[in-house]
Amino acid sequence: QSSITNPQSLTPFLDSLINESLVFENAFANGKTSITGIPAILSSLPSLMNEPFINSEFAANQVNSIANMLKKDGYNSSFFHGGSNGTMGFEAFTRNIGFEKYYGRNEYNNEKDFDGHWGIWDEEFFQYFANQLDKTTVPFLSCIFSLTSHHPYFIPEKYKNKFPKGTLPIHQSIAYSDFALRKFFENVSQKPWFANTLFVITADHTSMSESHIYENDVYTYSIPVILFKKDSGLK
């Protein structure tokens, strides 16, 4: 999205993808933290308690998810998160709801790509994601949770002057993550399964904004849901 004071888009690749996608503009996040967003996205579990479901006494309960529903139709499933294994309980939760494989910082197993804070940089982890998908038997369901656009909004030193800095600390990291997404699509677009794959892009929650327009109960939780499938006519 372009900034109010800087019309240059921070996400040129995502913008181009949106032009070929079905976009739901009136979608809303489940909360303001990632730990509440993942159960909502994968299992349709809203935040009904003061504590996140993943940390609650109900976390081990058997619940439905997109993974165990599609398993009945023969889908392999996996969840990718470049953070340290165990972070926010994602590994235990996704395994409990039926995801067969989990790929984190341990599985990536290359600390030279560690960002020093959260986990593996988006660019490298998205390439790892693409290459692991190519080794997966179709049909498959796979989800990836990106890292770099989280506080403290670092980007790799080699890209220090490559992306627009914008007006907020998050802006440069958003531009970097868009670049990582572009490189991911450049990779997977060459795969035989690409044309038959539906890509769903959404957000776990909203973040800071420089505009007061977004400081209300509606826009505080407003996120996009983007459905992309090559040459599908979804738009």
Side-chain angles (χ1 to χ4, degrees):
Q1 180 180 350
S2 61
S3 152
I4 298 298
T5 57
N6 178 9
Q8 180 183 13
S9 174
L10 298 168
T11 57
F13 177 72
L14 186 61
D15 294 348
S16 69
L17 210 61
I18 284 172
N19 288 332
E20 301 179 48
S21 303
L22 176 62
V23 181
F24 296 90
E25 297 180 352
N26 296 315
F28 298 94
N30 180 62
K32 289 291 288 181
T33 59
S34 299
I35 200 171
T36 57
I38 294 302
I41 292 169
L42 301 181
S43 290
S44 299
L45 285 171
S47 282
L48 299 176
M49 302 175 290
N50 291 329
E51 62 179 329
F53 177 85
I54 289 178
N55 290 341
S56 75
E57 61 185 301
F58 307 107
N61 288 8
Q62 292 296 307
V63 295
N64 269 335
S65 75
I66 189 171
N68 57 32
M69 294 178 72
L70 287 178
K71 186 175 183 178
K72 299 171 185 176
D73 292 321
Y75 279 73
N76 299 295
S77 59
S78 56
F79 188 90
F80 288 74
H81 174 220
S84 301
N85 293 57
T87 301
M88 291 184 284
F90 285 173
E91 183 170 10
F93 175 71
T94 54
R95 289 188 185 280
N96 185 55
I97 63 173
F99 280 83
E100 296 164 336
K101 294 183 179 180
Y102 183 92
Y103 297 89
R105 181 179 167 190
N106 289 353
E107 288 72 20
Y108 184 82
N109 195 29
N110 189 345
E111 288 299 285
K112 75 178 181 64
D113 296 328
F114 177 51
D115 67 4
H117 189 83
W118 282 107
I120 308 303
W121 294 111
D122 279 358
E123 179 185 3
E124 285 78 13
F125 199 71
F126 267 85
Q127 291 302 305
Y128 174 72
F129 177 43
N131 294 332
Q132 289 299 319
L133 290 183
D134 203 39
K135 300 174 184 177
T136 304
T137 303
V138 296
F140 59 74
L141 159 75
S142 192
C143 303
I144 184 170
F145 178 94
S146 64
L147 285 183
T148 307
S149 57
H150 285 77
H151 185 272
Y153 313 119
F154 295 147
I155 68 167
E157 184 65 24
K158 64 183 177 181
Y159 294 131
K160 183 177 180 181
N161 298 309
K162 179 177 176 63
F163 304 107
K165 291 183 171 56
T167 57
L168 294 174
I170 194 174
H171 284 166
Q172 186 173 214
S173 65
I174 289 290
Y176 164 79
S177 293
D178 183 71
F179 166 76
L181 188 65
R182 178 192 297 274
K183 294 193 71 174
F184 167 77
F185 270 88
E186 287 174 353
N187 187 336
V188 299
S189 65
Q190 307 303 312
K191 309 300 184 184
W193 43 265
F194 176 73
N196 295 322
T197 301
L198 175 66
F199 295 87
V200 181
I201 302 173
T202 189
D204 50 349
H205 59 84
T206 59
S207 189
M208 62 180 72
S209 172
E210 65 180 359
S211 172
H212 295 300
I213 294 173
Y214 298 101
E215 295 176 0
N216 59 59
D217 289 341
V218 174
Y219 287 117
T220 293
Y221 296 93
S222 180
I223 59 171
V225 176
I226 301 164
L227 305 182
F228 170 79
K229 184 174 182 292
K230 181 67 175 176
D231 299 327
S232 66
L234 278 175
K235 181 174 172 61

